[in-house]
Amino acid sequence: MRAYERLLNYVVVRTPSDENCENVPSSQCQFDLAKILVEELKQLGIDNAYVNDKCFVYAKLPATPGYEDKTKLGFIAHMDTVSDFCDHDIVPIVTENYNGEDLVLGTSGRTLAVADFPHLPSLKGRTLITSDGTTILGADNKAGIAEIMTMLERIINENIPHGQISVAFTPDEEIGTGAQSFDVETFDADFGYTLDGDLEGEIQYENFNAYKATFDITGFSVHPGSSKNTMINASLVAMEINSMLPSGETPRGTEDYEGFYHLVSMNGDVCKATLNYIVRDHDASLMNARLNTLRLIEKLMNEKWGEGTVKLEIAEQYRNMAEIVNTCMHLIENAKVACENVGVTPNILPIRGGTDGCQLSFKGLPCPNLGTGGHGYHGPYEHISVEGMDAMTDVAVEIVKLYAK
């Protein structure tokens, strides 16, 4: 079975995680896919596959006899999707021999447009998979799962010599909480790769340092007709706080290694208001400077409006895995060679986000990230090519071969 055929089976199983739930998994629907994957692993002959009570699927392919001393490799992908555009059945659409031009997405009224996605002409002649435009597709990260499964099938069926291969499919990556419950000891790998990136050939080991920041504003409400020098409108204070941040340092205005402040949500009235941000930067010192900017804003607002008006809470989410992977760069060099060996152009670039591998690297499992062949994640314009998925399956198999030498 080819990877895209598996993907078509997986994406119809909806698995949105729930950022408002503190349990792992945050949504019970993730077990629906987990059970399917365990059964499929067992059909491949991996009888030790199982799903635990936190919805982690673990499995091991024992080393080929005589290869027990080789590096134990791990491959990881996540089962959950974002909750946006995932409120009804997902209908994947396969477009063969895509012409590289604007593509109408079903009857949704949406068009996958070259103006928005300039890489589309490079996919001309490929077989493209999209949703019908009313939902996400779910290739993030079910494409990674499909490629890992297909890699295992090829290794088994083609009798490719290998060291021990550990596999895990994880919940709640999209809300950043799943990896906290990942059992590195049970996984039992020396090094790992997540398959959770975009274009085929991507190799990523530098990710954002990530924090979330919340401003809680307490106002003072009196009758507006007699509020001179008395009223403190919490919503207006919230607007003032946001205006003190550099207007260009948002996701829309930044790229590559440039960090940002991102206002995720806001709510409020005269009495109470809340601003929820995520803050990102690859450089740890620049990240500290960003956090100090937020703290300074809190200080200035309380000096202006009265102590206790503004309360800032900052929480770390994950750190830049480069701190760890820099000590084992063979992971990057071998991934690069694997790409070249199968005719894929390697592209080493930073992640403008995070993956499970960020947290796992700091838990003792160095774990860079590989592309899957997809684009436009987290929205109805998500798309992936059959050929890109085949290419990344080839890369994963080649990595296994390299570490078996």
Side-chain angles (χ1 to χ4, degrees):
M1 184 181 295
R2 291 172 68 182
Y4 86 93
E5 296 173 292
R6 288 187 161 92
L7 175 66
L8 294 176
N9 292 332
Y10 301 157
V11 295
V12 297
V13 183
R14 286 193 289 133
T15 55
S17 47
D18 181 0
E19 65 181 3
N20 296 314
C21 179
E22 296 182 356
N23 298 329
V24 178
S26 64
S27 56
Q28 290 299 302
C29 61
Q30 295 179 69
F31 277 109
D32 296 338
L33 181 57
K35 292 172 183 177
I36 291 171
L37 297 176
V38 168
E39 182 59 32
E40 188 172 345
L41 286 162
K42 290 183 176 180
Q43 290 174 0
L44 291 176
I46 306 176
D47 294 331
N48 57 43
Y50 70 99
V51 56
N52 71 8
D53 61 347
K54 291 188 178 293
C55 202
F56 285 78
V57 175
Y58 293 110
K60 290 189 184 72
L61 181 62
T64 302
Y67 287 76
E68 293 86 355
D69 63 338
K70 300 298 182 182
T71 298
K72 292 186 287 187
L73 282 180
F75 292 89
I76 301 161
H78 65 87
M79 296 178 288
D80 66 312
T81 68
V82 292
S83 57
D84 297 337
F85 294 98
C86 194
D87 61 350
H88 61 275
D89 289 347
I90 293 171
V91 180
I93 296 177
V94 178
T95 301
E96 296 182 353
N97 196 25
Y98 167 60
N99 63 11
E101 301 173 0
D102 290 359
L103 179 65
V104 175
L105 299 176
T107 60
S108 66
R110 293 188 172 96
T111 298
L112 187 63
V114 174
D116 298 319
F117 299 96
H119 68 271
L120 285 171
S122 70
L123 302 179
K124 182 178 180 179
R126 293 191 177 193
T127 296
L128 209 62
I129 304 175
T130 65
S131 75
D132 64 359
T134 66
T135 67
I136 57 170
L137 174 62
D140 180 12
N141 183 223
K142 291 166 184 172
I145 296 173
E147 289 159 6
I148 292 170
M149 284 289 201
T150 307
M151 172 202 74
L152 290 172
E153 183 178 50
R154 283 183 51 187
I155 289 170
I156 293 169
N157 290 346
E158 297 173 22
N159 294 314
I160 296 172
H162 57 86
Q164 178 181 294
I165 300 173
S166 298
V167 170
F169 303 127
T170 65
D172 292 341
E173 187 273 350
E174 294 293 1
I175 59 174
T177 58
Q180 297 170 13
S181 299
F182 191 101
D183 190 335
V184 171
E185 185 175 348
T186 292
F187 190 60
D188 189 28
D190 299 320
F191 304 99
Y193 290 94
T194 52
L195 273 74
D196 190 20
D198 296 347
L199 184 66
E200 64 265 26
E202 280 187 354
I203 304 168
Q204 301 168 313
Y205 69 98
E206 299 174 280
N207 60 274
F208 279 138
N209 293 290
Y211 287 79
K212 62 180 178 180
T214 301
F215 284 99
D216 286 312
I217 303 110
T218 301
F220 190 85
S221 180
V222 295
H223 191 286
S226 56
S227 61
K228 175 74 171 180
N229 295 326
T230 304
M231 177 185 286
I232 300 174
N233 188 320
S235 291
L236 291 179
V237 175
M239 294 167 65
E240 186 176 0
I241 288 171
N242 191 69
S243 72
M244 297 176 75
L245 294 170
S247 61
E249 294 183 16
T250 66
R252 180 179 175 85
T254 54
E255 61 185 354
D256 299 330
Y257 288 96
E258 297 166 346
F260 57 74
Y261 305 91
H262 177 39
L263 179 59
V264 177
S265 65
M266 59 186 295
N267 61 76
D269 52 27
V270 175
C271 295
K272 292 281 186 181
T274 302
L275 298 171
N276 295 302
Y277 291 88
I278 60 171
V279 189
R280 303 289 190 260
D281 212 299
H282 286 88
D283 185 279
S285 61
L286 292 177
M287 173 55 80
N288 287 333
R290 292 185 183 282
L291 300 180
N292 285 335
T293 295
L294 297 176
R295 295 182 182 109
L296 177 60
I297 291 173
E298 177 192 30
K299 176 176 178 290
L300 293 174
M301 288 294 94
N302 283 324
E303 288 175 351
K304 179 177 181 179
W305 296 107
E307 193 63 36
T309 301
V310 175
K311 181 180 179 182
L312 170 66
E313 291 187 2
I314 296 173
E316 181 181 272
Q317 294 176 301
Y318 50 84
R319 290 160 59 190
N320 189 344
M321 75 169 90
E323 293 181 43
I324 305 300
V325 180
N326 276 332
T327 66
C328 42
M329 287 297 287
H330 59 86
L331 290 165
I332 307 307
E333 292 305 317
N334 281 332
K336 181 179 177 181
V337 171
C339 288
E340 293 168 343
N341 286 354
V342 300
V344 173
T345 301
N347 184 18
I348 301 174
L349 74 169
I351 307 172
R352 288 185 60 78
T355 69
D356 279 339
C358 309
Q359 295 184 53
L360 297 180
S361 291
F362 287 96
K363 293 182 73 169
L365 179 68
C367 195
N369 186 48
L370 304 176
T372 62
H375 310 261
Y377 293 158
H378 292 195
Y381 302 101
E382 187 180 4
H383 54 286
I384 194 166
S385 74
V386 168
E387 293 79 2
M389 294 188 69
D390 287 343
M392 288 314 298
T393 302
D394 291 343
V395 169
V397 171
E398 191 66 19
I399 288 173
V400 170
K401 291 179 180 178
L402 288 170
Y403 276 99
K405 290 182 179 179

